[in-house]
């Protein structure tokens, strides 16, 4: 089984937020997949938090180093032509933002490879769209 983490979930592994502990427990012995898009989104989030003084320079450097080291161990789904081909239909069927459409298409691409995939996110619109596509979902911030 593979947990596909969109960036709203992935960032919780690097920054203590609501749901961080629950997510860390869930993925402890689990295969984790992400879209290549998450690389840019995580770096953008960390840099924004540094600019907003929500992270110190030392915390920022430590977190970006940790993310870089762990990135290599993640299953990464490229934003390939096959993923892009899924986007128009997803956008027609669901009220998705562009990045969320790519995230969902990436998770669905793994399912098309006959893998057991759960989409993990904190965005209710994305979770609802994934569920409508018959993809199991998990929200680490949801009440147990």
């Amino acid at each position: 089984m593979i947990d596909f983490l969109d960036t709203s979930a992935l960032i919780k592994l690097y920054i203590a937020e609501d749901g961080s502990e629950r997510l860390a427990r869930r993925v402890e012995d689990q295969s984790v997949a992400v879209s290549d898009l998450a690389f840019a989104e995580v770096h953008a989030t960390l840099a924004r938090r540094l600019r907003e003084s929500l992270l110190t320079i030392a915390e920022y450097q430590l977190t970006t180093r940790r993310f870089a080291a762990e990135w290599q161990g993640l299953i990464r789904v490229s934003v390939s032509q096959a993923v892009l081909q899924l986007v128009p239909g997803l956008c027609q069927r669901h009220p998705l933002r562009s990045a969320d459409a790519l995230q969902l298409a990436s998770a669905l691409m793994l399912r098309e490879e006959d893998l057991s995939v759960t989409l993990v996110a904190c965005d209710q619109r994305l979770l609802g769209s994934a569920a409508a596509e018959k993809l199991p979902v998990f929200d680490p911030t949801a009440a147990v």
Side-chain angles (χ1 to χ4, degrees):
M1 186 151 121
I2 296 173
D3 277 345
F4 180 93
L5 277 60
D6 94 315
T7 309
S8 70
L10 180 61
I11 198 70
K12 291 183 179 312
L13 297 176
Y14 299 95
I15 298 192
E17 297 180 334
D18 181 36
S20 289
E21 289 180 22
R22 189 170 180 221
L23 179 61
R25 284 191 307 273
R26 179 179 172 94
V27 301
E28 189 173 356
D29 296 319
Q30 185 85 305
S31 294
V32 173
V34 296
S35 167
D36 276 342
L37 175 64
F39 186 83
E41 290 185 323
V42 166
H43 279 284
T45 299
L46 295 174
R48 177 185 53 78
R49 290 179 69 94
L50 176 63
R51 284 190 305 275
E52 294 173 356
S53 299
L54 298 171
L55 289 175
T56 65
I57 291 174
E59 290 169 330
Y60 172 80
Q61 291 172 337
L62 180 67
T63 305
T64 55
R65 279 195 304 272
R66 182 174 154 226
F67 176 66
E70 292 177 4
W71 178 255
Q72 301 307 314
L74 300 174
I75 299 165
R76 295 184 309 275
V77 180
S78 297
V79 181
S80 65
Q81 191 60 41
V83 168
L84 292 174
Q85 286 177 346
L86 296 175
V87 169
L90 291 172
C91 290
Q92 288 172 1
R93 291 189 298 278
H94 310 289
L96 293 165
R97 293 180 293 265
S98 57
D100 290 340
L102 286 168
Q103 296 279 7
L104 181 53
S106 298
L108 292 171
M109 184 58 52
L110 290 173
R111 183 178 71 183
E112 286 187 9
E113 295 174 6
D114 290 326
L115 298 170
S116 177
V117 179
T118 298
L119 186 124
V120 180
C122 305
D123 179 300
Q124 296 309 305
R125 184 180 300 161
L126 176 56
L127 289 166
S129 299
E133 294 291 324
K134 308 283 190 266
L135 198 60
V137 297
F138 177 78
D139 179 352
T141 64
V144 178

